[in-house]
Amino acid sequence: FSRLLLGPETEVQLSDLAGNAMSVPVVNATMLAAICAPQLKRQRETNKKVLLSDFAFNQKYATANGAVLAERGDMYNTPRDTSAKTFVEVFTPLLGEFARDAYRTSVLCYCESSGTVSSAQIMECRDCGMSVCRNCCSEYQVHSHDLKPVDNAGATANIRPDPHEFERKLRSKVPSVLRLSEGWEEVLKDGDGLESFSFQLQEVRRDKGHWQLLYGAWEDQGRGKQVAEIRVLVGRIKKLDPEYRVAAYVRCYAPAIRHKKPYRGKLKDAARIVLSSSSNQADCWEVPTSPQKCKVNLIGSDEVESQRVLIGLNDDAANALKSHDVKNAFKPPINSRNHLTHYHSKWKTWPGTITVSGSDTELINGTYRKMKCTHTVVLSALWRRDATCDKPAMYLFLRPDVLRTQLDTAVFSLSPSYKDTNELFELVDWIPENTLAERTYKTSAKGLTWKPLANRFAVEVPKPSLHVHPMDDSFDRQVSSLVDPTTAEIPILCNIEGLSTDIVKSLLEYTSLEEAGDIVNIDLFGKAGTRNAKRLSIIAAPSLLKCAAEDQLPLTLSKWYKLPKSIVFGQCPINVPSRPIGRWRRRSDRDNTWEREYDNEESNAYYHRLFNRPKAFAVEVDRSQGTMRLRMNPHVAAHRAAAQLGGEETGSVEVDYCLSELSSMGEPPTEDFHVPNSDRYSETIVHGMELPLYKRQAKALTRMQAIEDGEVFFPEEERSEIVLPGIGWCLIAKAAKHSPLRGGVLGDAIGSGKTVVTIALILAGAEKARSRRNVQAGRSGATLIVVPPGLVQQWDDERKKFTKNKLRCIRVDSTSTLMRFSVEDLCKADIVIVPAGLIEEAKGKKRPYTENLSKKASAGKIPQAPTYYSQREAPTIEGTWVRNMSSGPEIYVGNKGKQKDRDSQAYYGHCYSEAIQKLRQKKFAPSERGVPMEYFTWERIVIDECHETLVTGKGLETKNADFKAVARRGAREFLGVAETSISKRPLIAETGVWGLTGTPLLETEARVTELANLMGGTYLTGASNHWRKEERESGRDLFLNQQEATRSREYRCAVHQACHSYVEEACQRNRGEELQVKLTRKKVHVNMSESEGKEFQKVTNDIDKSTFDISPGQLGEKAGDVLTISCSSKARHSALLGSIDAILDEEPGTKIIVFANTSFGGYASASKALESGGKRYCSVSEKSSVEEQNETLSWFRHVDVSEAERQRPRILLLSFEQAAGHNLQEACHNVIIYDPYYSGSDAVADASVEEQAVGRVMRQGQKCDVTVTRILVAGPKGERCLDDWIVDRNLDEKVLQAATSNFD
């Protein structure tokens, strides 16, 4: 009999827990059995034959069968306050300007649903009331709506009030408690006993068009069930209403909570009141009358296509439903004149006009015309009778039964939304098709009317029984006066007085009182935390939140306060216990795999230290005085924030704290990253350059020098958040240090001269770098340039072109080359060029570089980089989610990783890091040769095509790339992508780390954070929780990570701000001079064969067998199989050969670059086509050494000058993974894209790869017009196919902007 910890699992999570062999009911039954098992065990100690069925929960009020009892109310026998104001008296002042502000601050566009306010003009549909901001109009199908600008009621320049400020004003103006006056139980249906309950303000919600206040009534001071609610709406309470009102609705829960025949479905309101500034009638409460039944005629005409036809359903769907034999057990127990299991005979059409007659009241009689609005009302079914001088506009639509307990109901309403509860009539058993058949013209209807009550029926506003007593001393002064925060008493935030005996009993119900004194601490974070928090939210939250809204707390919400600098935060072992270090043991001798193991006692002790850390909030109840004390300790959050802050190790960390409300937090804006140019900088002239820099290049150089000189500072910050459960307050600590930027990104457009700017930077600082050399200490004056393997020679050629021999350069293209150079050689060089994949260089089964590193460091063997990814980055969610099914959408961030792969990545990094530490403890003689790169401190580090190390999409796992998957992982380890501690990075630079790329891929905060860490280790908010961290986490650490609280919206705003600030400060992107050559994009369409078409449809049969026009997203996991058929189609062979022949016929001797995708067989297909066609071609194979790769590429980099060179092959076949960095514009201007590039859902990354491919020839220095020929495969009869879809996506303007990052 073990304990079972129950959490807030969803049905989907429970289904995942069950596994494929079980179902959710089995899991729930198991959980119920675990709950009952301890009691059964105790009973069987005395009677072994006792059965679980013999037991039942005996409760005090069990005989009431769930009825609402007056004696369980908190106001039972409490005298009424004769001076109490009424609801009308308190809420009437909210009409007018305040109600108008309620509307202006409400949600008026879907983009505002997370707390933000759109700065764009709000548009509203005249027909259905749908509202959307101008910025979002392009995201929705608004063509069917008659949109008009919304008058923001006097808002200057379309500026609307801050909704968070308005919420506080609203809380301060409305009461926290309501109570029904005497007599309500007589007229309120199911309202027995409610006069003895108070209604406490539980929630203030920002809704569409208005704000909602939710008051709840609970049994036994919150210990029992909720029995009723009062909803108060402020603003526009119905769509298209020009007036701003206040409305309240009473809803009784008694029908749903009774034990015998409880009501299932949506409960109806039992009373209402609507306050209006323009009404001449007295404001009084209303209750519903009994429905008035009648018969009405609804005759349809002017037929239009039904919604089923508009969404693409056809006769096949109708026939399939009709022929399906539904078993009686699955038929709903509903009597209807319409078929419930198949379509109506008139299902293809709906009435465009409906004439309604027969109603005695004339309220709904008239002609209704169908509105064109789609997707904003149920089934896009909305008919309207236009307003006249004596009749208001009337709407006919379907009110959905969201709980699916009954059929959807057609209603007549004064507003076009069922959420407004303004219905006047319900139609019984009616669908639009009934108006097209004479036998169903006549329909039963129910009139929904309300009758006013006498003025004596009111809702009172009693004085709250709880009083918040603010502290005399400011909270900040209390915090500053603490001498030893670890032992001193926690500062008091506020006291609550007036707790009755019943309230105290309710608050302490789940707290052990055996050894407790008068003052008892409430557990909000442990075993009983959830239940205690719920009780606190019912009893204390209304008073506390109103106190905060009235600025009565001893500190100002959302204001930052500084903590004393005398305290060293982040190093306290009590607040931040260190995790036990694991040991490595061999898992398998056969495959040489390793796994981590931990000492169980150490891990248990750590978990208890973690669980027993000081709490940021403490709630104490004084039973003798009837008071509750709320304490808050900012130092707890401060230690946690400072402990996570990475970057350069320094003692100058400033910590601020603030208390915020979760409800006041907004989502970060969804804005693109904007990379600035360098126009505001002056030009720097570099003497010694063979060719002068362009102005933009000279300005870019100035900006880079400013960063290297330490003139540009950046605030590195991390935050810790601790929420007070039940109240919604969030304590935020911010640890920050202002550090000089340690590098940045030069992201100039492709071909704009990033290489020459970097060479100028090196040359300009060459003398200073040489003066700082120290051979004995391994301090090199060289700039280490890390490049993709195929660019080693090109970089050296560029160095010679622009500086001749003014800079001494060493090329280390392999370990054997490294062995030729001494420590002194590497220290006295000006430039050292190495391939990024050097660490994973392989010679058969040997790995020369890491073997040499282990030998020089006297360290253990370093294993090969892992073969598989343990984590992947993906900014999107893929797949189809089906409710209550375990197989949800694929979220690639973490959900595909396997623990053995994480262990492999971690062991690889551990061995590599351990070898580096031992290497740096060594001292090497100046003449020592072959000393690894990690030993030296370099003047600076330059990473060419830095985006190559960031993107780890599935499509990059290829064996044909010169920068293949294993080499990429090795390169990331070599560059220290996942290491946030600067001193522990494999490569260390003195002045800065620079990244060069033509496609920065600054699309997400995750990529910017990773880029900042790569460029010298600048720490951005959230870096300690980056997904890269989980690449090498153990199962234990993954579990511990999950114990941390989720990040709030304010934290996400801080991450967003930090990333945008970094891009603004550290990144620059300048346009090159406008090219004087033209870019022509051609498409060659070919049809796949009949056999390939059949194979294609065989795979897609269960998705859509009728079309070839299908996207990879629709294919899901089958995308790879279908793309393999398309990419390797033999139809591409003839297209490729024909395109090559056409180019060579027109330009004999010209050189042609062919790019193909390796992931789905395109590269192999292109190679096979060239071989079968007898075309001589060159390629770069993984078997080729770096030197051989560079030699092959150099043939296509330069114009032929000899007959021997002219006899070389004219065709260069490259994979897309080999597309970055090469300068081929001098000798090439024809590119053929054999198959479009697709690696997964990341369109931005895919588009950037294709842009890089085209950019090899379409760049500065190109003198000929460039032609890019794309080969697109269609269906057997020319049907649109996958290629068209991928090309359209990759060439989309917004996708290309994101791939290259927006820049000036």
Side-chain angles (χ1 to χ4, degrees):
F1 297 95
S2 60
R3 291 179 181 175
L4 181 66
L5 181 63
L6 301 180
E9 291 86 2
T10 64
E11 283 191 66
V12 174
Q13 291 169 324
L14 289 175
S15 183
D16 287 336
L17 178 67
N20 294 330
M22 300 184 187
S23 62
V24 174
V26 174
V27 176
N28 291 336
T30 306
M31 294 165 65
L32 183 61
I35 294 172
C36 300
Q39 177 65 20
L40 182 63
K41 179 187 177 185
R42 287 189 289 268
Q43 294 292 332
R44 285 192 172 178
E45 289 177 354
T46 57
N47 181 5
K48 293 184 177 181
K49 294 184 178 181
V50 71
L51 299 176
L52 188 61
S53 58
D54 296 336
F55 302 108
F57 288 108
N58 292 319
Q59 296 180 347
K60 182 177 179 181
Y61 300 102
T63 57
N65 290 319
V68 178
L69 303 178
E71 57 264 35
R72 303 188 70 176
D74 57 323
M75 307 293 283
Y76 183 63
N77 287 335
T78 301
R80 293 187 179 273
D81 183 2
T82 56
S83 63
K85 293 185 177 181
T86 66
F87 178 91
V88 174
E89 292 173 327
V90 172
F91 281 87
T92 296
L94 301 187
L95 295 171
E97 186 64 30
F98 193 84
R100 184 183 300 119
D101 282 347
Y103 170 71
R104 291 164 57 193
T105 56
S106 66
V107 177
L108 298 181
C109 179
Y110 294 103
C111 68
E112 300 179 348
S113 59
S114 298
T116 57
V117 174
S118 174
S119 59
Q121 173 70 55
I122 300 297
M123 309 295 292
E124 184 179 61
C125 178
R126 290 184 174 91
D127 298 329
C128 70
M130 181 272 292
S131 61
V132 62
C133 72
R134 283 192 180 273
N135 291 344
C136 293
C137 284
S138 61
E139 306 295 330
Y140 298 94
Q141 297 181 16
V142 298
H143 60 275
S144 64
H145 298 274
D146 184 9
L147 297 179
K148 64 178 178 64
V150 172
D151 179 14
N152 280 335
T156 304
N158 204 41
I159 298 176
R160 292 156 57 196
D162 183 352
H164 310 307
E165 290 295 327
F166 180 82
E167 180 180 346
R168 292 182 184 176
K169 289 181 183 179
L170 182 60
R171 282 188 181 275
S172 66
K173 288 180 177 293
V174 301
S176 59
V177 183
L178 298 175
R179 184 183 183 183
L180 299 179
S181 65
E182 288 185 277
W184 272 99
E185 294 181 13
E186 301 172 8
V187 297
L188 203 63
K189 185 179 180 182
D190 300 313
D192 294 344
L194 289 184
E195 293 176 21
S196 299
F197 291 80
S198 68
F199 290 77
Q200 303 281 342
L201 180 58
Q202 300 296 317
E203 182 182 8
V204 177
R205 182 190 305 165
R206 181 184 179 220
D207 277 344
K208 281 282 264 184
H210 57 257
W211 285 77
Q212 176 174 285
L213 308 170
L214 185 62
Y215 292 82
W218 299 77
E219 296 174 332
D220 304 329
Q221 300 286 357
R223 286 178 289 168
K225 303 181 294 294
Q226 184 175 356
V227 296
E229 70 176 22
I230 298 178
R231 303 187 320 279
V232 181
L233 310 183
V234 183
R236 182 189 279 182
I237 63 171
K238 61 179 181 179
K239 286 188 175 182
L240 298 175
D241 185 2
E243 189 174 351
Y244 308 105
R245 311 170 190 261
V246 174
Y249 303 88
V250 179
R251 181 175 291 168
C252 305
Y253 288 5
I257 61 178
R258 63 193 178 208
H259 294 172
K260 295 182 179 179
K261 296 182 178 180
Y263 178 79
R264 293 293 176 258
K266 184 179 179 180
L267 292 171
K268 295 182 179 180
D269 294 325
R272 74 179 185 184
I273 188 172
V274 179
L275 306 180
S276 172
S277 58
S278 64
S279 175
N280 296 323
Q281 299 178 352
D283 297 314
C284 60
W285 287 86
E286 299 175 313
V287 293
T289 62
S290 299
Q292 301 174 358
K293 297 182 179 180
C294 63
K295 294 284 187 178
V296 293
N297 292 316
L298 292 92
I299 302 174
S301 58
D302 302 330
E303 296 181 17
V304 297
E305 289 184 327
S306 70
Q307 180 67 7
R308 290 191 176 103
V309 172
L310 291 176
I311 65 174
L313 294 176
N314 53 28
D315 289 330
D316 290 342
N319 294 333
L321 281 175
K322 195 170 184 178
S323 61
H324 180 62
D325 183 19
V326 182
K327 295 182 178 180
N328 290 331
F330 295 102
K331 289 181 180 179
I334 299 173
N335 294 321
S336 173
R337 60 178 173 173
N338 300 305
H339 294 292
L340 299 179
T341 57
H342 60 84
Y343 296 163
H344 192 279
S345 60
K346 300 277 189 178
W347 69 270
K348 292 185 179 181
T349 58
W350 273 359
T353 302
I354 298 177
T355 302
V356 180
S357 60
S359 172
D360 296 336
T361 63
E362 292 293 326
L363 279 176
I364 61 174
N365 289 346
T367 301
Y368 293 73
R369 289 180 174 80
K370 189 177 186 306
M371 301 293 99
K372 296 180 180 179
C373 307
T374 57
H375 308 305
T376 53
V377 291
V378 177
L379 297 178
S380 301
L382 178 65
W383 289 264
R384 183 185 67 197
R385 184 192 69 187
D386 292 338
T388 61
C389 57
D390 58 341
K391 290 183 179 180
M394 190 68 67
Y395 298 87
L396 171 62
F397 55 82
L398 296 175
R399 184 184 65 210
D401 185 276
V402 180
L403 299 179
R404 312 317 296 162
T405 57
Q406 294 292 328
L407 299 176
D408 294 343
T409 305
V411 296
F412 289 94
S413 173
L414 292 171
S415 78
S417 173
Y418 68 89
K419 294 182 179 179
D420 295 342
T421 63
N422 281 285
E423 295 93 347
L424 298 180
F425 277 84
E426 291 180 352
L427 295 179
V428 179
D429 193 17
W430 182 89
I431 59 176
E433 291 91 331
N434 292 149
T435 64
L436 303 177
E438 185 175 354
R439 60 185 178 83
T440 54
Y441 283 167
K442 184 164 290 190
T443 299
S444 298
K446 294 179 181 179
L448 308 177
T449 57
W450 296 72
K451 67 177 182 180
L453 298 176
N455 290 335
R456 69 183 182 87
F457 295 98
V459 171
E460 301 172 351
V461 181
K463 293 180 180 178
S465 60
L466 304 184
H467 306 282
V468 180
H469 179 67
M471 302 302 298
D472 296 330
D473 195 11
S474 75
F475 184 81
D476 185 46
R477 202 158 28 243
Q478 294 182 62
V479 174
S480 301
S481 63
L482 294 179
V483 179
D484 185 359
T486 59
T487 58
E489 195 173 51
I490 301 175
I492 299 174
L493 193 60
C494 61
N495 288 317
I496 300 180
E497 302 172 347
L499 275 67
S500 65
T501 303
D502 287 340
I503 292 178
V504 171
K505 184 178 179 181
S506 176
L507 286 171
L508 301 180
E509 181 179 0
Y510 303 110
T511 303
S512 175
L513 303 176
E514 293 180 0
E515 300 180 1
D518 287 338
I519 299 178
V520 182
N521 278 295
I522 299 178
D523 174 21
L524 293 176
F525 302 94
K527 183 178 179 181
T530 302
R531 290 177 289 184
N532 285 333
K534 182 179 179 181
R535 197 64 48 83
L536 192 67
S537 71
I538 296 172
I539 295 173
S543 299
L544 286 173
L545 294 176
K546 186 172 179 63
C547 173
E550 295 173 344
D551 292 328
Q552 294 184 17
L553 291 178
L555 82 173
T556 303
L557 290 178
S558 301
K559 178 182 176 181
W560 291 98
Y561 297 89
K562 289 190 176 296
L563 288 174
K565 294 184 178 180
S566 57
I567 302 175
V568 179
F569 290 103
Q571 300 178 19
C572 174
I574 298 176
N575 283 282
V576 191
S578 57
R579 291 185 182 182
I581 300 175
R583 296 177 294 274
W584 289 95
R585 68 178 179 86
R586 192 187 299 273
R587 178 193 291 139
S588 171
D589 293 329
R590 182 170 56 85
D591 57 1
N592 194 31
T593 56
W594 295 72
E595 65 181 359
R596 280 165 289 203
E597 63 178 4
Y598 299 92
D599 183 274
N600 291 337
E601 293 185 2
E602 287 182 359
S603 295
N604 288 333
Y606 167 74
Y607 184 73
H608 283 93
R609 288 196 303 272
L610 192 69
F611 186 77
N612 294 321
R613 288 180 299 179
K615 303 297 187 288
F617 291 99
V619 178
E620 302 170 347
V621 174
D622 190 330
R623 295 190 287 177
S624 62
Q625 299 295 322
T627 62
M628 183 170 66
R629 189 174 296 117
L630 176 59
R631 298 178 181 271
M632 185 175 77
N633 187 357
H635 291 89
V636 172
H639 279 291
R640 298 182 190 180
Q644 293 184 73
L645 182 61
E648 191 171 6
E649 296 178 2
T650 175
S652 57
V653 176
E654 298 179 356
V655 181
D656 297 2
Y657 74 92
C658 80
L659 183 64
S660 182
E661 292 180 306
L662 293 175
S663 62
S664 68
M665 299 177 181
E667 286 286 350
T670 54
E671 56 184 340
D672 295 326
F673 286 97
H674 181 271
V675 185
N677 60 32
S678 306
D679 288 351
R680 62 188 175 93
Y681 287 82
S682 60
E683 298 175 32
T684 295
I685 299 175
V686 181
H687 300 286
M689 294 288 289
E690 294 298 313
L691 296 171
L693 297 176
Y694 291 112
K695 288 185 178 182
R696 57 177 172 78
Q697 294 173 333
K699 291 180 178 182
L701 175 60
T702 303
R703 186 171 185 174
M704 296 173 77
Q705 289 177 327
I707 291 176
E708 289 198 344
D709 292 340
E711 299 175 6
V712 182
F713 282 79
F714 185 81
E716 298 176 294
E717 296 180 358
E718 188 49 272
R719 299 187 178 199
S720 176
E721 299 176 323
I722 303 175
V723 176
L724 174 57
I727 305 299
W729 286 345
C730 180
L731 171 61
I732 307 174
K734 175 176 64 178
K737 54 188 177 184
H738 290 266
S739 309
L741 278 176
R742 293 175 284 274
V745 177
L746 180 58
D748 286 3
I750 295 173
S752 295
K754 296 179 289 293
T755 302
V756 65
V757 175
T758 306
I759 292 172
L761 176 67
I762 297 170
L763 182 60
E767 289 303 321
K768 186 184 292 186
R770 291 165 185 163
S771 67
R772 292 193 282 221
R773 295 169 177 164
N774 187 334
V775 178
Q776 299 298 328
R779 171 59 168 91
S780 175
T783 295
L784 180 67
I785 301 178
V786 185
V787 301
L791 301 183
V792 175
Q793 179 64 51
Q794 179 175 294
W795 260 90
D796 198 21
D797 291 344
E798 295 292 297
R799 187 264 310 177
K800 295 175 183 176
K801 176 181 177 181
F802 289 103
T803 66
K804 296 297 184 185
N805 292 315
K806 297 182 182 68
L807 297 174
R808 185 187 175 201
C809 178
I810 293 178
R811 288 183 302 164
V812 181
D813 52 20
S814 63
T815 307
S816 59
T817 306
L818 176 64
M819 302 303 290
R820 299 203 298 264
F821 297 103
S822 65
V823 171
E824 185 173 11
D825 293 333
L826 293 172
C827 286
K828 291 187 175 181
D830 295 309
I831 297 175
V832 175
I833 307 172
V834 298
L838 179 66
I839 183 177
E840 282 303 312
E841 179 190 9
K843 299 288 185 182
K845 293 185 178 181
K846 293 185 177 182
R847 300 173 57 255
Y849 187 84
T850 51
E851 290 174 5
N852 176 59
L853 172 58
S854 298
K855 181 179 179 181
K856 293 289 185 182
S858 301
K861 181 181 178 181
I862 302 173
Q864 181 184 354
T867 307
Y868 298 101
Y869 286 103
S870 55
Q871 298 290 114
R872 284 201 186 98
E873 175 218 28
T876 59
I877 299 175
E878 289 186 342
T880 302
W881 181 76
V882 180
R883 186 175 180 271
N884 294 341
M885 296 297 289
S886 62
S887 55
E890 250 183 324
I891 306 176
Y892 281 130
V893 183
N895 86 324
K896 281 292 188 180
K898 295 181 179 179
Q899 190 54 50
K900 69 174 185 178
D901 295 328
R902 293 190 189 97
D903 286 339
S904 298
Q905 184 72 43
Y907 184 65
Y908 174 63
H910 164 75
C911 294
Y912 182 52
S913 177
E914 191 175 66
I916 293 172
Q917 293 178 28
K918 292 183 178 180
L919 178 71
R920 290 175 179 166
Q921 294 171 2
K922 299 274 188 178
K923 291 293 182 182
F924 294 101
S927 59
E928 181 83 16
R929 297 181 183 275
V931 175
M933 301 292 163
E934 295 86 347
Y935 170 75
F936 299 92
T937 299
W938 304 95
E939 175 67 12
R940 70 177 58 81
I941 298 171
V942 176
I943 305 167
D944 196 11
E945 306 302 337
C946 61
H947 66 277
E948 291 280 354
T949 61
L950 302 183
V951 183
T952 56
K954 185 176 181 180
L956 297 179
E957 295 180 21
T958 169
K959 298 179 180 179
N960 297 79
D962 62 332
F963 204 15
K964 57 182 181 175
V966 173
R968 285 177 192 274
R969 294 189 194 93
R972 285 196 294 277
E973 207 70 41
F974 187 52
L975 297 170
V977 169
E979 181 57 69
T980 57
S981 175
I982 295 176
S983 61
K984 296 180 181 179
R985 297 172 75 92
L987 301 177
I988 297 178
E990 186 69 27
T991 60
V993 180
W994 295 96
L996 310 180
T997 176
T999 50
L1001 295 179
L1002 302 180
E1003 185 197 10
T1004 64
E1005 282 88 355
R1007 286 182 178 171
V1008 175
T1009 301
E1010 192 173 3
L1011 190 69
N1013 188 47
L1014 178 62
M1015 299 303 113
T1018 298
Y1019 187 90
L1020 302 188
T1021 307
S1024 61
N1025 302 295
H1026 195 272
W1027 67 271
R1028 284 275 185 209
K1029 179 182 178 184
E1030 295 190 354
E1031 275 191 319
R1032 56 197 75 214
E1033 294 279 53
S1034 66
R1036 182 206 69 174
D1037 290 339
L1038 289 174
F1039 166 76
L1040 292 174
N1041 293 342
Q1042 294 300 317
Q1043 308 312 303
E1044 300 295 331
T1046 56
R1047 305 295 175 177
S1048 72
R1049 291 183 293 183
E1050 187 156 327
Y1051 186 89
R1052 295 198 294 272
C1053 288
V1055 171
H1056 175 87
Q1057 181 60 41
C1059 291
H1060 278 265
S1061 297
Y1062 179 80
V1063 171
E1064 184 70 26
E1065 294 293 339
C1067 303
Q1068 56 179 318
R1069 183 167 172 82
N1070 301 287
R1071 295 182 185 274
E1073 286 64 27
E1074 186 175 352
L1075 293 175
Q1076 300 302 311
V1077 298
K1078 295 180 180 179
L1079 173 62
T1080 302
R1081 298 182 186 268
K1082 294 182 178 180
K1083 293 182 180 179
V1084 176
H1085 290 86
V1086 291
N1087 299 342
M1088 65 176 66
S1089 65
E1090 290 290 342
S1091 59
E1092 290 170 341
K1094 290 179 180 179
E1095 190 175 356
F1096 183 102
Q1097 290 192 320
K1098 182 178 180 181
V1099 179
T1100 62
N1101 184 50
D1102 58 340
I1103 300 171
D1104 191 346
K1105 63 182 180 180
S1106 63
T1107 181
F1108 287 86
D1109 185 7
I1110 194 167
S1111 71
Q1114 294 173 278
L1115 293 169
E1117 295 181 353
K1118 295 183 177 182
D1121 298 332
V1122 178
L1123 284 165
T1124 299
I1125 297 170
S1126 173
C1127 293
S1128 59
S1129 172
K1130 290 185 178 180
R1132 295 189 194 273
H1133 290 203
S1134 58
L1136 175 61
L1137 299 177
S1139 299
I1140 291 173
D1141 290 339
I1143 294 171
L1144 292 176
D1145 287 345
E1146 186 174 340
E1147 299 180 70
T1150 190
K1151 298 178 182 179
I1152 303 170
I1153 313 299
V1154 179
F1155 285 101
N1157 195 347
T1158 58
S1159 300
F1160 306 107
Y1163 185 91
S1165 177
S1167 177
K1168 186 176 181 180
L1170 293 172
E1171 291 174 359
S1172 62
K1175 304 294 184 184
R1176 295 174 59 228
Y1177 70 99
C1178 296
S1179 63
V1180 178
S1181 169
E1182 63 167 336
K1183 298 178 181 179
S1184 306
S1185 66
V1186 173
E1187 184 177 2
E1188 291 170 340
Q1189 293 180 36
N1190 280 271
E1191 181 182 4
T1192 300
L1193 291 168
S1194 68
W1195 295 350
F1196 290 83
R1197 191 178 299 134
H1198 304 295
V1199 176
D1200 297 335
V1201 296
S1202 66
E1203 188 59 34
E1205 292 176 353
R1206 295 187 186 96
Q1207 296 304 314
R1208 291 172 180 162
R1210 302 288 91 188
I1211 304 167
L1212 174 62
L1213 175 61
L1214 295 175
S1215 69
F1216 277 111
E1217 289 77 14
Q1218 298 162 329
H1222 305 299
N1223 295 341
L1224 306 177
Q1225 72 276 17
E1226 181 182 335
C1228 306
H1229 61 274
N1230 284 290
V1231 173
I1232 298 176
I1233 297 181
Y1234 185 75
D1235 56 333
Y1237 187 74
Y1238 181 85
S1239 65
S1241 62
D1242 195 342
V1244 174
D1246 293 352
S1248 72
V1249 170
E1250 288 197 350
E1251 284 300 292
Q1252 285 282 356
V1254 176
R1256 296 315 95 217
V1257 297
M1258 189 64 183
R1259 57 194 298 119
Q1260 294 294 332
Q1262 179 60 261
K1263 298 178 180 179
C1264 302
D1265 291 342
V1266 174
T1267 301
V1268 177
T1269 303
R1270 290 179 178 272
I1271 300 175
L1272 280 72
V1273 170
K1277 297 180 180 179
E1279 300 94 335
R1280 178 182 166 88
C1281 201
L1282 282 173
D1283 283 18
D1284 298 281
W1285 188 93
I1286 297 172
V1287 170
D1288 289 346
R1289 183 197 71 158
N1290 290 357
L1291 294 181
D1292 180 79
E1293 183 178 348
K1294 290 185 178 180
V1295 172
L1296 289 175
Q1297 286 178 355
T1300 56
S1301 297
N1302 299 308
F1303 63 100
D1304 296 324

